Amino acid sequence: MRQIRYKLAFASFSIITFLLVGCSSKIMKSPISYSKENTLETKVDSVMKLMTLEEKVGQLNQYNGFWEITGPTPKEGQAAKKYEDLKKGLVGSMLNVKGVKDVRALQKIAVEQTRLGIPLIFGFDVIHGYKTISPIPLAEAASWDLEAIKKSAEIAAEEASSVGLNWTFAPMIDISRDARWGRVMEGAGEDTYLGSKIAVARIQGFQGDLKSNKNILACAKHFAGYAFAEAGRDYNTVDVSESTLQNTIFPPFKAAVDAGVKTFMNSFNELNGIPATGNSYLQRQVLKGDWKFDGFVVSDWGSINEMIPHGYAKDSKQAAEIALNAGSDMDMESSAYVDHLVALVKEGKVKESLIDDAAKRILKVKFELGLFDDPYRYCDETREKETIGSPAIQEGVLDMARKSIVLLKNENELLPLKKSGQKIALIGALANDKTSPLGSWRIAADDNTAVSVLEGLQAYKGNQLSFAKGADVAVGRTQFIWETKINMTDKTGFEEAIAVAKNADVVIMVLGEHGLQSGEGRSRADIGLPGVQQELLEEIYKVNSNIVLVLNNGRPLAIPWAAKNIPAIVEAWQLGTQSGNAIAQVLYGDYNPSGKLPMTFPRNIGQVPLYYNAKSTGRPIMNEPDSVFWTHYIDEKNTPLYPFGFGLSYAKFEYSDLKLSSNTFAKDGKIEVSINVKNSGKVAGKEVVQLYIRDLIGSITRPVKELKGFEMIELKPNETKKVVFSIDEKTIQYFTANSRWEAEAGDFKVFIGGNSEKTMEADFQFIN
Ligand code: NOJ
């Protein structure tokens, strides 16, 4: 049936072409085979020609999965309306439908019961894995390992595509500087350069070249500014300068377009007074105009209608008009397009050509996915069964988890642990939590499927291991955030934990955030250890200070007491399904940690937003002791607890011999900067060598440091490697007061080191 429809589509298109241009083209001979001579545009046009305005608008409509698909069909309410829309060809895509059986059932309706049979795209938040969960993206970013990050996205795509999905709403590439914002867990942290590289790696991993049905569409989100919500409160107002927008927020999105990302998602927030969803500067001028993005833009969930409470549209109809005119192509769950766009065209408020443009963008992506050739390309039950949680996928997420761990402190080489003869006390509810490590984006993952730290450590049999929970992090039902109550009072488990700790050689405490304390809608006004955990830590410390603190968290935490007193601290984020195995392997030294923080850890919530590439200000340093009038706090230091780029290893790295091939370079020229890195430790290890610059004088003031390159090297004990970076005009370009990307002549500094604070430095000049 479907085949026939497309035959008709191509036949009629070909006949028209024949009549118009009078040629006996190859299209005429094999209309259905989409021969190479058929460009994507001609294919799309051939379908467009058959569509009514209503059907074109239908392509712009995305609905959430709205009924038990394999059960009875809905008879009333919204679900019945949506079902009718689906059969009328008024739905272009669905989200949150999962499993081959359900996807196939819905696709069958679209293909067999609608007039034209145009297949649906199936979207889902595969943020860090589908059922098998990899580390949260912030953790993955801590690996600084672009190949591993790409591989992790590839694995997620493989699993998700096996259940019928062909579109993920990832990666989130919002640069985020505010640890209060719960969604920092979903991004790559605070740095634009690192964030852009990771954006590209993740897009390549998800999408590949889309030739294989193991790849899925990626979605660069949220365009734009979402992470700059005032006070770190999710969905809050965003008001940023053009320089911040261009130099900090935009680059990862531009990199995403250049990497061929097929879809973009706009954003809930307003940007400088205009909601991103209705913002034509963002979507039409910058994205589709300047950057020539030729995929499509989906709104965020209901964000078209959210322009009403924003105070930007008076009703859903006006919101549809504004959003479409501003360049939002697909409406996620507002029903605004499907309800109003046809009327808006008839009233002359929306040009039909803009509807055509949006529909064409969506159809083009459907062709690129191969859905017109085989709408069931992603629907294979056998593959689904074989793929979900396969050994290769488990191995992949374990590898990523190990690489994401950051060693923050290791006094007296407390780590790695000795493998035998030790009494180890394991304390903290998170140590025995098989769900929290999956984080809050675990829509398809089952509860209790992560390997806990307790289980990970039990695999090491040489030591005597005792576990005491000490205190719950959360109490009551903890399945949903709105039901999750942080334990602020119950300390009844302290006594047992203290007794276990007293008797141990080493205490491992797994503390931090419950898995639902970060993510969308989970901003925190206090970023210390939640509940009674700080007190538990201090009580244990009184009886045994030989503590290894393993942190589980979805954001930087302010833990000054721990940083001062606890001898060893391991940042283990939320590491996904293989969490406990990865942590145990690092604690026992079977894997030497190499992660580096992608986001600054503050001492105190009052310092936030705190980020390494800040501006100098007019009063950067205290000139006299006790001086008051400089940029500082009277009750806290300016410096972070742990800076961006920081992370230790069981190896030791020494930097020496920073050399520049020249101290000046001109247009089209370059400077080579080299440094020697030696492993003076006893074990082999990996180090991320980081290159920063400072542009001393700019037409717009420049940050005190900016990451411009990094390289991961592996060194055996006593081995030295020379690392060479190159600096050219592109390295020093930024969006200047002339409103363009350019390099300004002047003096610069270059810094190289193992983190953003401890570096060697030299000077150079760019002559224009
Ligand atoms: C809202 C979130 O902001 C977005 O990132 C997500 O992809 C959509 N919901 C769909 O679940």
Side-chain angles (χ1 to χ4, degrees):
M1 188 66 177
R2 178 193 66 84
Q3 297 278 332
I4 292 167
R5 283 200 195 100
Y6 290 109
K7 266 192 187 127
L8 282 173
F10 268 87
S12 57
F13 164 70
S14 304
I15 289 163
I16 292 163
T17 312
F18 179 75
L19 292 176
L20 286 180
V21 290
C23 70
S24 61
S25 72
K26 288 190 180 144
I27 301 166
M28 278 295 289
K29 284 185 207 147
S30 56
I32 192 64
S33 66
Y34 308 121
S35 68
K36 296 255 161 42
E37 283 77 6
N38 276 334
T39 65
L40 258 180
E41 281 64 35
T42 56
K43 289 177 187 176
V44 168
D45 286 344
S46 71
V47 178
M48 285 288 289
K49 284 202 172 82
L50 303 175
M51 296 171 81
T52 61
L53 175 61
E54 283 76 4
E55 284 163 337
K56 289 174 193 167
V57 168
Q59 287 304 302
L60 279 46
N61 182 32
Q62 184 186 49
Y63 279 150
N64 190 36
F66 52 91
W67 95 97
E68 199 56 54
I69 292 140
T70 45
T73 50
K75 297 272 178 295
E76 54 197 22
Q78 269 301 95
K81 180 209 179 256
K82 286 178 167 185
Y83 182 57
E84 284 310 308
D85 285 351
L86 182 63
K87 286 194 299 182
K88 283 189 227 147
L90 298 183
V91 182
S93 167
M94 305 235 0
L95 76 152
N96 289 336
V97 178
K98 55 184 181 358
V100 167
K101 208 167 153 202
D102 286 11
V103 169
R104 184 189 286 280
L106 277 168
Q107 193 69 297
K108 216 163 155 0
I109 296 174
V111 170
E112 292 183 10
Q113 295 188 37
T114 66
R115 192 179 76 89
L116 291 174
I118 299 174
L120 301 164
I121 312 181
F122 289 89
F124 201 87
D125 288 289
V126 185
I127 304 300
H128 51 113
Y130 174 72
K131 210 169 198 68
T132 314
I133 301 294
S134 53
I136 55 170
L138 186 66
E140 290 197 357
S143 73
W144 295 52
D145 187 330
L146 300 175
E147 268 312 304
I149 292 170
K150 180 175 164 195
K151 177 87 193 145
S152 173
E154 237 166 61
I155 288 171
E158 185 182 344
E159 204 177 59
S161 61
S162 81
V163 307
L165 300 172
N166 40 36
W167 183 16
T168 176
F169 305 122
M172 186 190 96
I173 57 179
D174 298 300
I175 298 303
S176 45
R177 295 169 164 176
D178 195 325
R180 291 170 295 187
W181 192 53
R183 291 194 90 164
V184 301
M185 55 74 61
E186 201 181 334
E190 74 189 36
D191 184 66
T192 299
Y193 180 87
L194 179 63
S196 302
K197 298 275 175 206
I198 290 176
V200 172
R202 298 197 73 205
I203 289 162
Q204 288 171 342
F206 287 130
Q207 279 189 185
D209 57 9
L210 283 186
K211 297 257 169 351
S212 153
N213 64 357
K214 291 186 177 166
N215 288 117
I216 57 180
L217 303 170
C219 181
K221 70 185 190 186
H222 305 87
F223 198 59
Y226 186 36
F228 278 69
E230 282 178 2
R233 210 180 68 221
D234 209 359
Y235 319 122
N236 203 7
T237 307
V238 175
D239 205 317
V240 292
S241 69
E242 194 186 13
S243 173
T244 301
L245 200 55
Q246 295 282 353
N247 289 303
T248 305
I249 296 172
F250 278 170
F253 289 101
K254 171 72 165 62
V257 173
D258 294 344
V261 73
K262 299 288 175 198
T263 73
F264 256 59
M265 185 184 290
N266 58 35
S267 187
F268 288 129
N269 57 282
E270 68 161 68
L271 177 74
N272 302 340
I274 299 180
T277 306
N279 198 315
S280 70
Y281 162 72
L282 285 175
Q283 299 172 110
R284 290 227 182 267
Q285 189 178 321
V286 174
L287 179 61
K288 294 176 178 174
D290 299 349
W291 299 349
K292 303 190 171 29
F293 171 64
D294 64 358
F296 70 86
V297 181
V298 64
S299 80
D300 202 342
W301 177 286
S303 69
I304 296 180
N305 280 348
E306 284 187 16
M307 287 196 282
I308 306 167
H310 266 297
Y312 199 66
K314 67 174 187 303
D315 54 23
S316 181
K317 187 170 179 188
Q318 195 186 20
E321 177 190 338
I322 294 171
L324 196 282
N325 284 335
S328 296
D329 300 307
M330 187 181 272
D331 171 0
M332 182 192 283
E333 229 358 60
S334 278
S335 258
Y337 281 4
V338 74
D339 290 348
H340 305 295
L341 277 183
V342 172
L344 285 164
V345 170
K346 292 192 173 140
E347 289 161 23
K349 291 190 173 140
V350 169
K351 283 196 200 123
E352 189 162 355
S353 60
L354 292 184
I355 309 271
D356 284 355
D357 177 64
K360 278 184 187 174
R361 287 169 180 270
I362 293 162
L363 292 175
K364 178 168 147 288
V365 169
K366 291 188 176 184
F367 270 108
E368 287 172 317
L369 275 174
L371 294 177
F372 280 100
D373 295 320
D374 179 4
Y376 305 104
R377 212 177 154 224
Y378 292 85
C379 297
D380 174 348
E381 277 89 349
T382 313
R383 192 186 138 207
E384 180 179 39
K385 267 194 215 104
E386 286 168 3
T387 309
I388 300 281
S390 73
I393 289 179
Q394 296 289 354
E395 188 47 49
V397 298
L398 172 61
D399 184 54
M400 190 69 247
R402 286 186 296 236
K403 289 177 169 155
S404 304
I405 294 173
V406 185
L407 180 62
L408 293 177
K409 191 173 174 192
N410 193 19
E411 240 169 45
N412 307 324
E413 300 190 355
L414 184 54
L415 289 173
L417 300 169
K418 295 193 188 76
K419 284 194 173 154
S420 60
Q422 299 278 293
K423 279 193 252 165
I424 296 188
L426 178 64
I427 294 172
L430 288 171
N432 193 24
D433 190 333
K434 293 173 64 59
T435 305
S436 268
L438 304 174
S440 60
W441 273 123
R442 54 161 196 270
I443 321 181
D446 300 318
D447 282 358
N448 285 310
T449 50
V451 177
S452 70
V453 178
L454 176 59
E455 290 167 328
L457 289 175
Q458 278 166 343
Y460 289 83
K461 309 272 185 219
N463 288 328
Q464 192 189 313
L465 181 69
S466 318
F467 169 69
K469 141 175 110 168
D472 282 315
V473 180
V475 286
R477 260 168 62 92
T478 51
Q479 206 175 350
F480 302 109
I481 184 65
W482 50 92
E483 293 177 335
T484 305
K485 298 267 172 298
I486 297 304
N487 171 23
M488 304 302 287
T489 50
D490 182 5
K491 296 180 230 166
T492 47
F494 275 30
E495 203 180 318
E496 187 200 357
I498 290 167
V500 169
K502 258 188 196 157
N503 192 30
D505 298 307
V506 183
V507 182
I508 300 173
M509 295 189 73
V510 185
L511 306 179
E513 295 182 312
H514 183 270
L516 295 182
Q517 277 189 285
S518 61
E520 188 184 343
R522 279 93 159 173
S523 296
R524 290 183 66 200
D526 169 359
I527 55 169
L529 290 172
V532 296
Q533 294 179 97
Q534 179 65 33
E535 211 177 319
L536 176 66
L537 179 63
E538 292 182 28
E539 289 304 313
I540 300 293
Y541 182 78
K542 283 183 195 154
V543 298
N544 190 340
S545 60
N546 228 13
I547 296 176
V548 176
L549 172 61
V550 177
L551 293 170
N552 280 188
N553 43 300
R555 55 160 61 73
L557 295 177
I559 43 159
W561 187 89
K564 183 160 170 246
N565 296 292
I566 302 301
I569 305 180
V570 175
E571 176 50 78
W573 316 103
Q574 283 141 0
L575 290 177
T577 307
Q578 288 290 334
S579 172
N581 285 334
I583 293 169
Q585 289 173 20
V586 163
L587 294 181
Y588 274 107
D590 285 340
Y591 190 86
N592 188 355
S594 55
K596 302 274 189 180
L597 294 179
M599 222 181 149
T600 304
F601 274 44
R603 296 169 189 278
N604 186 311
I605 184 84
Q607 296 175 299
V608 168
L610 184 68
Y611 48 96
Y612 84 95
N613 52 352
K615 302 288 185 75
S616 165
T617 82
R619 295 190 176 195
I621 36 166
M622 176 169 63
N623 290 322
E624 296 148 24
D626 305 324
S627 163
V628 172
F629 303 109
W630 65 293
T631 178
H632 75 304
Y633 301 98
I634 55 173
D635 56 357
E636 184 54 276
K637 292 179 181 166
N638 283 1
T639 53
L641 199 56
Y642 297 108
F644 173 82
F646 179 80
L648 304 170
S649 159
Y650 299 145
K652 287 210 166 36
F653 301 109
E654 286 170 15
Y655 287 72
S656 65
D657 295 318
L658 175 68
K659 284 198 187 112
L660 272 61
S661 58
S662 160
N663 289 99
T664 57
F665 78 105
K667 218 175 162 37
D668 301 326
K670 64 174 185 180
I671 295 179
E672 295 213 319
V673 195
S674 65
I675 197 150
N676 286 345
V677 187
K678 179 180 175 189
N679 179 358
S680 57
K682 296 188 209 91
V683 291
K686 284 189 277 179
E687 169 75 335
V688 181
V689 183
Q690 301 158 38
L691 172 99
Y692 298 86
I693 62 152
R694 176 169 181 184
D695 182 346
L696 294 185
I697 312 287
S699 63
I700 290 176
T701 57
R702 308 302 305 133
V704 292
K705 262 181 195 154
E706 290 177 88
L707 183 72
K708 291 292 176 180
F710 61 88
E711 194 178 320
M712 184 179 279
I713 53 170
E714 191 157 7
L715 293 172
K716 297 191 197 83
N718 262 319
E719 189 182 354
T720 301
K721 269 188 189 160
K722 184 177 179 173
V723 179
V724 185
F725 295 99
S726 158
I727 292 179
D728 59 20
E729 219 184 313
K730 206 144 186 277
T731 321
I732 59 170
Q733 275 178 349
Y734 74 103
F735 194 83
T736 69
N738 290 328
S739 295
R740 58 169 183 258
W741 283 81
E742 61 186 340
E744 290 178 331
D747 295 330
F748 292 79
K749 279 189 183 299
V750 56
F751 312 85
I752 302 187
N755 65 65
S756 62
E757 263 184 8
K758 201 166 164 236
T759 50
M760 297 186 76
E761 63 178 83
D763 300 314
F764 71 91
Q765 254 189 351
F766 173 63
I767 303 160
N768 210 344

